[in-house]
Amino acid sequence: MRAHVEEKIAYRTCPICEACCGLEIRMQGDQVAGIRGHAADVFSAGYVCPKGAAVKDLHEDPDRLRTPLIKRDGKFVEASWDEAFAEIERRLLPIIAAHGRDAIGLVIGNPVVHKMGLLLYFPRLAKALGSKNFFSASTLDQMPKQLSAGLMFGHWLTIPVPDIDRSDFLLMLGANPAVSNGSLWTVPDFRGRAKAMRARGGRLIVVDPRRNETAAMADQHVAIRPGADVFFLAALVHTLFEEKLVMLGRLAPHVAGVEAVREVVAPFAPEQVAARCGIDAATIRELARSLANAERGAVYGRLGTCTQEYGTLVNWLIDVANVLAGHLDEPGGAMFPKAAAFQANTMGRPGQGRGIATGRHRSRVSNAPEVFGEFPIGCLAEEIDIAGEGQVRALITIAGNPVLSAPNGARLSAALDQLDFMLSLDIYLNETSRHADVILPGTSPLEEAHYDVAFPQLAHRNYARYSKPVVPATQPAEWEILLRLTAILAGGGAKADIGALDDEFVAEDVGRMAGPQAPAVLKAVEALRGPDRLLDLALRGGPYGDMFGMKPGGLNLAKLAATPEGIDLGALEPLIPEVLRTPSGKIELAPDMLIADMARAAADLARPVPDLVIVGRRQVRSNNSWTHNLPILAKGPYRCTVEVHPRDAARHGLKHGGRARIVNANRAIEAQVEITEAMLPGVISLPHGWGHDLPGTRLSVASKRPGANLNALFDESLRDPLSGNAVLSGVPVEISAAG
Ligand code: SF4
């Protein structure tokens, strides 16, 4: 007779992508029986994509690490947590003693942003480490947007997002939200919202070299040559000036630099850029007029705009167009969210701040400027494999797989083997963590509480939502792991009392923020520990908070935890000038750095268009490279295909379903060919994050269909010089049929 297993329903924010859908998880004991969208969720209203159900596979994946591993004689052996931390202390500290703190590099991967404990506690570790050699996935896909927003609005995360539910005109570049549900724009069920916009007479236009899934549902697809977005947008802004379409409206007293922008885009008439963009001048002019004449509209750009050589200029011009067309900070336009917690531009003096700076220090080998405290991840290999004073000799990676996600993983892979010591905190033994000497397993997302620390700062609507742990913890929480590493790096030892250390950090933070009120504030949160305590502090002191009892009815963690469907905080509202943190207290429309960089673009306008270039693409059933190990996502048609236009296929002798060899300089990969009219002739596309055929990993599902690593083709030194972002789009390649 089968024992009765109690069934219960749990709610959890999906940890896989930026859309942050609310999941309803049916549990039988500690087993996940099923996952679907949480219909009552105030933010996602039951929407999920196929990846949501894959959280079950992630939780149950036998490949997911559950025990620390230590490499002994070239082989990983299981170890206790105490042994692992002792080994880290034994190996890491002598390197710091002998070579200094910059000898330890730190790499943060994208999944960190989906884990509350990791996101709130890695800064403590980074501070204790004190190394300038800090790298993250941000220089692979988003630093240009952060830099341009920081220069214009005063903070790296003051990023405007389309207010889609009230918009009637959306112009998108290098984005595919029909697949991604937004990126640097949290917008679950983009398709439903876009359909609703079109049903009320709105217009969706997609500018992209590939007729992607968003373009396929749009009113208009404008096929652009990869890398030409800077010219297209400069011409669009030029047209706004030339045709007297500039309407600053309410923002006029808050904008500086309009004339400097007018001057710098003067050489970029649509007729001048048409050939380079592959878009006729009349189309560019019509789009500028439509944008200006739209009652409620916005321009939005995403990953494809960041992975090109003028990434920062492109992302700046997107918001310049929004400002000049009168759509910034207007309902239905590009607006700023106001998150309930952790948002820097809701703290301090409203309307003015210190702004941002770059280049406070430079990388040792390439002299690349620091941006947002980090160096380009393309510099990581050279910092390890080129000897000299300040060389990186040990590395800590947290939830990152740069061997696949960064350009020229082959060089990085070889460099990692030269390290004196490497530590990875990861859920998998993957292409990067296989190089580690110690791997500490991360937790299943179902084992830890969660709050979306970052994404309400980018959401199309204000909301707050907290998820309790779904299953009991089977190992130390990730914040505890980071605190123990922090203790080791700070000299407190592997056996330090991390509870006391946490108290010490919190007391310091609260003392700084609350001054004489600090004892009362600390008392108010004394029952909490770890990320929950930090969250309660942030919520209660935040823009909707209860101010530690002074505003009864305001938000706090207890109230949020009692509402698993989340709390709707309303539509986005105009926030200028209060959201600004520039020293001038204005929107800086013409930052010196960007105006100067336009000369680089102008000099490049006449560059001949390469015969064939490659771009990446986003896929519904893929996100981070580890999603390829989840059976529910891995099944179905083979997806790591190179998409080729029929004309290119014919001239290069390629057959649908056949193999192609793709070459860039001395780097080559092979991929399966998919012939499709979706591609612009002269452009091919391969998804990224594949290439699971490297030895020494434990990814049994992914390795069965490894795919080809797009990033292996790219030169790690090719980047946007302002933001340090890698150039991963529009790179010239050759293609031929493979044997
Ligand atoms: S869209 Fe993103 S957040 Fe929503 S279910 Fe899919 S992976 Fe999860």
Side-chain angles (χ1 to χ4, degrees), residues 8 12 33 68 71 84 219 298 303 329 359 374 423 434 440 451 474 582 660 686 699:
K8 68 168 189 181
R12 176 65 161 83
K71 200 177 270 166
D219 297 276
L303 197 137
D329 204 41
E374 51 187 283
L423 161 67
R434 70 190 169 128
L440 301 176
Y451 175 85
T474 55
T582 51
L686 192 70
L699 295 162

Short mmCIF file of all heavy atoms in Angstrom, two decimals, residues 8 12 33 68 71 84 219 298 303 329 359 374 423 434 440 451 474 582 660 686 699:
data_model
loop_
_atom_site.label_atom_id
_atom_site.label_comp_id
_atom_site.label_asym_id
_atom_site.label_seq_id
_atom_site.Cartn_x
_atom_site.Cartn_y
_atom_site.Cartn_z
N LYS A 8 0.73 19.93 -1.37
CA LYS A 8 0.56 21.34 -1.03
C LYS A 8 0.95 22.20 -2.23
O LYS A 8 1.66 21.75 -3.14
CB LYS A 8 1.37 21.72 0.21
CG LYS A 8 2.85 21.70 0.00
CD LYS A 8 3.61 22.35 1.15
CE LYS A 8 5.09 22.48 0.73
NZ LYS A 8 6.00 23.01 1.61
N ARG A 12 6.48 30.58 -6.12
CA ARG A 12 7.89 30.97 -6.24
C ARG A 12 8.06 31.80 -7.51
O ARG A 12 7.53 31.45 -8.56
CB ARG A 12 8.76 29.71 -6.31
CG ARG A 12 10.26 29.92 -6.53
CD ARG A 12 10.87 30.63 -5.35
NE ARG A 12 12.32 30.52 -5.25
CZ ARG A 12 13.19 31.28 -5.91
NH1 ARG A 12 12.79 32.17 -6.79
NH2 ARG A 12 14.50 31.13 -5.71
N ALA A 33 5.46 18.05 -8.10
CA ALA A 33 4.51 17.28 -8.91
C ALA A 33 4.13 18.03 -10.18
O ALA A 33 3.74 17.43 -11.18
CB ALA A 33 3.27 16.95 -8.08
N PRO A 68 30.33 19.64 -1.94
CA PRO A 68 31.57 20.30 -2.39
C PRO A 68 32.51 19.29 -3.06
O PRO A 68 32.55 18.11 -2.69
CB PRO A 68 32.17 20.84 -1.10
CG PRO A 68 31.02 20.99 -0.17
CD PRO A 68 30.09 19.86 -0.50
N LYS A 71 39.56 19.07 -6.13
CA LYS A 71 40.35 18.35 -7.15
C LYS A 71 41.61 17.80 -6.49
O LYS A 71 42.39 18.55 -5.91
CB LYS A 71 40.70 19.30 -8.28
CG LYS A 71 41.09 18.59 -9.58
CD LYS A 71 41.36 19.59 -10.69
CE LYS A 71 40.12 19.92 -11.49
NZ LYS A 71 40.32 21.10 -12.33
N ALA A 84 36.20 21.66 2.45
CA ALA A 84 36.28 22.57 1.29
C ALA A 84 36.71 23.97 1.72
O ALA A 84 37.60 24.57 1.10
CB ALA A 84 34.93 22.61 0.58
N ASP A 219 4.05 45.15 -36.95
CA ASP A 219 3.45 45.80 -38.11
C ASP A 219 4.48 46.00 -39.21
O ASP A 219 4.14 46.06 -40.38
CB ASP A 219 2.89 47.17 -37.68
CG ASP A 219 1.79 47.01 -36.67
OD1 ASP A 219 0.65 46.78 -37.08
OD2 ASP A 219 2.09 47.06 -35.46
N ALA A 298 7.63 54.86 -27.66
CA ALA A 298 8.96 54.67 -27.08
C ALA A 298 9.85 53.94 -28.05
O ALA A 298 9.39 53.15 -28.88
CB ALA A 298 8.86 53.88 -25.76
N LEU A 303 19.77 43.49 -26.40
CA LEU A 303 21.08 42.85 -26.43
C LEU A 303 21.85 43.12 -27.72
O LEU A 303 23.04 43.44 -27.69
CB LEU A 303 20.91 41.34 -26.22
CG LEU A 303 22.20 40.64 -25.84
CD1 LEU A 303 21.94 39.64 -24.73
CD2 LEU A 303 22.79 39.93 -27.04
N ASP A 329 9.61 59.65 -19.82
CA ASP A 329 8.94 59.97 -18.56
C ASP A 329 7.47 60.35 -18.76
O ASP A 329 6.90 61.06 -17.94
CB ASP A 329 9.70 61.11 -17.84
CG ASP A 329 9.46 61.11 -16.33
OD1 ASP A 329 9.43 60.02 -15.75
OD2 ASP A 329 9.29 62.20 -15.75
N GLY A 359 36.86 54.66 -15.52
CA GLY A 359 38.31 54.82 -15.65
C GLY A 359 39.00 55.23 -14.37
O GLY A 359 40.09 55.80 -14.42
N GLU A 374 34.18 47.40 -12.84
CA GLU A 374 34.67 46.16 -13.41
C GLU A 374 35.44 46.37 -14.70
O GLU A 374 35.28 47.38 -15.37
CB GLU A 374 33.54 45.15 -13.62
CG GLU A 374 32.33 45.64 -14.35
CD GLU A 374 31.21 44.59 -14.34
OE1 GLU A 374 31.31 43.64 -15.11
OE2 GLU A 374 30.26 44.75 -13.56
N LEU A 423 38.46 28.72 -7.51
CA LEU A 423 37.27 28.33 -6.74
C LEU A 423 36.03 28.69 -7.54
O LEU A 423 35.94 29.81 -8.05
CB LEU A 423 37.27 29.09 -5.41
CG LEU A 423 35.93 29.18 -4.67
CD1 LEU A 423 35.50 27.80 -4.17
CD2 LEU A 423 36.04 30.15 -3.48
N ARG A 434 34.95 23.15 -14.38
CA ARG A 434 35.83 21.97 -14.49
C ARG A 434 37.30 22.35 -14.24
O ARG A 434 38.13 21.52 -13.91
CB ARG A 434 35.67 21.30 -15.86
CG ARG A 434 36.24 22.13 -16.99
CD ARG A 434 35.90 21.64 -18.39
NE ARG A 434 36.29 22.66 -19.34
CZ ARG A 434 37.04 22.46 -20.42
NH1 ARG A 434 37.47 21.26 -20.69
NH2 ARG A 434 37.34 23.46 -21.22
N LEU A 440 32.09 24.71 -4.84
CA LEU A 440 31.06 24.71 -3.80
C LEU A 440 29.71 24.72 -4.51
O LEU A 440 29.47 25.57 -5.37
CB LEU A 440 31.19 25.95 -2.92
CG LEU A 440 32.53 26.13 -2.21
CD1 LEU A 440 32.55 27.45 -1.45
CD2 LEU A 440 32.79 24.96 -1.26
N TYR A 451 13.47 37.34 -3.36
CA TYR A 451 12.86 38.62 -3.71
C TYR A 451 13.61 39.11 -4.95
O TYR A 451 14.84 38.99 -5.03
CB TYR A 451 13.01 39.63 -2.55
CG TYR A 451 12.50 41.01 -2.90
CD1 TYR A 451 11.15 41.33 -2.76
CD2 TYR A 451 13.35 41.99 -3.39
CE1 TYR A 451 10.68 42.59 -3.09
CE2 TYR A 451 12.88 43.25 -3.72
CZ TYR A 451 11.55 43.54 -3.57
OH TYR A 451 11.08 44.80 -3.91
N THR A 474 19.07 21.73 2.14
CA THR A 474 19.88 20.52 2.32
C THR A 474 21.36 20.86 2.48
O THR A 474 22.20 19.97 2.54
CB THR A 474 19.72 19.60 1.09
OG1 THR A 474 20.05 20.36 -0.07
CG2 THR A 474 18.30 19.08 0.97
N THR A 582 22.29 63.16 -11.51
CA THR A 582 23.43 63.81 -12.16
C THR A 582 23.87 64.99 -11.30
O THR A 582 23.04 65.59 -10.59
CB THR A 582 23.03 64.32 -13.56
OG1 THR A 582 21.82 65.10 -13.43
CG2 THR A 582 22.77 63.19 -14.52
N ALA A 660 28.00 23.11 -41.77
CA ALA A 660 28.76 24.25 -42.29
C ALA A 660 29.95 24.52 -41.39
O ALA A 660 29.89 24.32 -40.17
CB ALA A 660 27.87 25.49 -42.35
N LEU A 686 23.63 32.30 -35.25
CA LEU A 686 23.79 31.09 -34.43
C LEU A 686 23.47 31.47 -32.99
O LEU A 686 23.91 32.52 -32.52
CB LEU A 686 25.25 30.62 -34.53
CG LEU A 686 25.59 29.23 -34.00
CD1 LEU A 686 25.00 28.14 -34.87
CD2 LEU A 686 27.12 29.05 -33.95
N LEU A 699 27.50 17.27 -17.47
CA LEU A 699 26.26 17.80 -18.04
C LEU A 699 25.73 16.74 -19.00
O LEU A 699 25.89 16.83 -20.23
CB LEU A 699 26.54 19.12 -18.79
CG LEU A 699 27.04 20.28 -17.93
CD1 LEU A 699 27.68 21.36 -18.78
CD2 LEU A 699 25.88 20.89 -17.12
#
